[in-house]
Amino acid sequence: MNILQIKDRGLEIEELGRLPEDILDLIYEHQLFKLFTAKELGGKDLDLLEGIKVFQQMSALDGNFGWLVTIGTGGNVFIPTLNKEVVEKMFSPRNAVIAGSGYPSGVAVKIDGGYRVTGQWKYCSGSNYATTFTMNCFVEDEGNRTDEIISCSVNHDQVEILNDWRAMGLKATASHTIRVQNVWIPQEETFQLGIIKNKYGSAVHSFPFGAFAEASFLSVCLGITENFLEEASILVKQRKQDPSRIQFLLMQQQKNFRQLEERYYLLLNEYWQKHKEGHELTEEQLQQFSRISKDTAAACVDIANSLIRRLGMDAITETSSINRIWRNLYTAAQHSFLTP
């Protein structure tokens, strides 16, 4: 199967509610969950800009597909924070991929050698094929809950998936709630961002996490918007009535999109080069990047909204490509890293 054929399978993917097995196999074959994983662990070891552009390209094929590639690769940021033996076991398999949540909605009771973990976490994209789940917990020590947060890695067979993802878009991302009950987590299978425990990391892994997440999710929005404009162009060409007004609007929005995309990549490249040269990004620079990421996501939604009401009944038909792409864009742009 050619990876470009995914663009023709968007409706099938959505109605299935998950990625078909042959598309998962394609992801494993092309190492798309391992874009920022060291080659020694079976990864592609891309630099930040290369990987972010792959996120956009995959999202332009299908929003569900692009979102899951982005989320799956996002788990690569934990690689340097795990013990060498643990990271090799976790990331070396061909089908290795992490799902999980950064929200601390669990409790880890501290006991000799590790923790007993209980809790549940929402929005764990890729839950139906994840080999490992990560979850944040507040630490409870000698019966007292502390302010300390510990991140835990848990094998998939110890996790219950609640199958409760019911969003308007990105329906095939399996972003379900997960639950664990009194699961034993050894100390060596816990981690904390910023604490380095092995040599498998790269400059990508030390890039500020918030900016990394914003860039990742925004690239998905850019890819879905690119797909939306392509589909809108097809529909405009098919219109029987005079299409001149909507053609002009479409050209305006295509130009607007290219400008947004160019501005975003210029800023990301500037910050990436600074980071590679060893310069720490200032709080002001990180706030600027966050603001531009949120503004660009909002602009992508505005581009789609300016055209959707002029695209006839296809715009409101759930099984049409344009409607599915529009719903996927709205859902992706609703992520907390991109909302005001």
Side-chain angles (χ1 to χ4, degrees):
M1 175 185 167
N2 187 309
I3 203 163
L4 296 177
Q5 291 175 294
I6 290 169
K7 182 172 282 192
D8 301 323
R9 297 182 64 183
L11 181 59
E12 173 198 347
I13 291 169
E14 177 170 281
E15 291 183 337
L16 189 62
R18 55 182 170 80
L19 292 182
E21 288 300 319
D22 64 327
I23 291 180
L24 271 175
D25 285 339
L26 198 68
I27 288 175
Y28 303 144
E29 178 187 344
H30 290 274
Q31 303 159 290
L32 291 175
F33 288 147
K34 296 188 174 189
L35 299 181
F36 300 134
T37 302
K39 291 182 179 178
E40 298 94 317
L41 298 172
K44 295 181 77 71
D45 197 22
L46 300 185
D47 84 1
L48 182 65
L49 244 70
E50 290 174 325
I52 293 294
K53 288 182 178 179
V54 172
F55 295 163
Q56 180 175 343
Q57 291 160 3
M58 299 304 100
S59 300
L61 297 176
D62 177 74
N64 288 288
F65 179 70
W67 181 268
L68 288 170
V69 167
T70 302
I71 288 286
T73 291
N76 297 175
V77 300
F78 305 131
I79 285 173
T81 67
L82 291 155
N83 284 358
K84 182 175 183 291
E85 295 77 14
V86 173
V87 82
E88 288 171 354
K89 179 183 176 183
M90 190 182 297
F91 283 93
S92 293
R94 178 176 180 265
N95 66 335
V97 61
I98 285 177
S101 170
Y103 193 78
S105 54
V107 174
V109 179
K110 193 170 187 178
I111 52 180
D112 288 345
Y115 302 86
R116 284 283 175 188
V117 173
T118 297
Q120 65 181 46
W121 296 261
K122 291 182 176 182
Y123 313 132
C124 299
S125 299
S127 59
N128 59 342
Y129 54 75
T131 52
T132 303
F133 288 88
T134 60
M135 51 202 68
N136 283 349
C137 304
F138 282 106
V139 174
E140 184 179 300
D141 193 5
E142 296 183 350
N144 298 312
R145 181 164 165 171
T146 70
D147 292 331
E148 181 187 358
I149 294 174
I150 192 77
S151 301
C152 304
S153 59
V154 184
N155 196 53
H156 69 96
D157 60 4
Q158 295 179 291
V159 176
E160 180 185 3
I161 300 170
L162 301 188
N163 292 304
D164 59 354
W165 176 242
R166 298 289 184 273
M168 64 181 276
L170 299 180
K171 290 177 177 289
T173 58
S175 301
H176 303 305
T177 297
I178 60 169
R179 180 162 62 199
V180 299
Q181 181 69 38
N182 202 32
V183 170
W184 162 247
I185 309 295
Q187 180 70 43
E188 61 267 21
E189 294 180 11
T190 66
F191 60 95
Q192 289 179 301
L193 284 177
I195 298 178
I196 307 303
K197 296 182 181 177
N198 63 66
K199 296 182 179 179
Y200 287 121
S202 69
V204 173
H205 300 100
S206 57
F207 194 74
F209 178 76
F212 171 85
E214 287 159 351
S216 299
F217 294 128
L218 181 58
S219 66
V220 174
C221 291
L222 289 171
I224 298 175
T225 307
E226 184 182 336
N227 192 11
F228 182 92
L229 289 169
E230 290 173 1
E231 189 66 25
S233 180
I234 292 169
L235 292 175
V236 168
K237 288 175 183 174
Q238 292 173 349
R239 289 173 72 93
K240 295 179 180 178
Q241 59 267 52
D242 179 23
S244 56
R245 281 188 65 185
I246 190 171
Q247 277 182 339
F248 179 71
L249 177 60
L250 177 62
M251 289 172 60
Q252 281 184 314
Q253 298 298 11
Q254 288 169 332
K255 180 181 178 182
N256 186 20
F257 174 74
R258 286 192 296 269
Q259 290 173 339
L260 288 169
E261 183 184 38
E262 182 180 8
R263 181 182 68 163
Y264 159 66
Y265 278 116
L266 280 173
L267 184 63
L268 180 59
N269 182 57
E270 177 190 337
Y271 284 13
W272 174 236
Q273 296 305 321
K274 286 180 185 294
H275 176 71
K276 286 200 299 183
E277 291 165 7
H279 302 299
E280 188 173 344
L281 296 174
T282 67
E283 188 61 33
E284 183 181 349
Q285 288 172 323
L286 292 174
Q287 287 177 1
Q288 179 194 28
F289 189 81
S290 182
R291 186 173 61 253
I292 288 177
S293 297
K294 294 174 191 296
D295 289 348
T296 305
C300 286
V301 172
D302 288 344
I303 285 171
N305 283 346
S306 73
L307 291 163
I308 195 79
R309 279 178 50 80
R310 294 170 170 84
L311 295 175
M313 294 301 290
D314 279 305
I316 61 163
T317 304
E318 284 193 345
T319 54
S320 72
S321 294
I322 199 73
N323 182 273
R324 184 178 64 255
I325 296 165
W326 180 73
R327 288 185 283 107
N328 286 343
L329 175 59
Y330 251 85
T331 307
Q334 199 68 13
H335 195 282
S336 58
F337 273 107
L338 297 179
T339 49

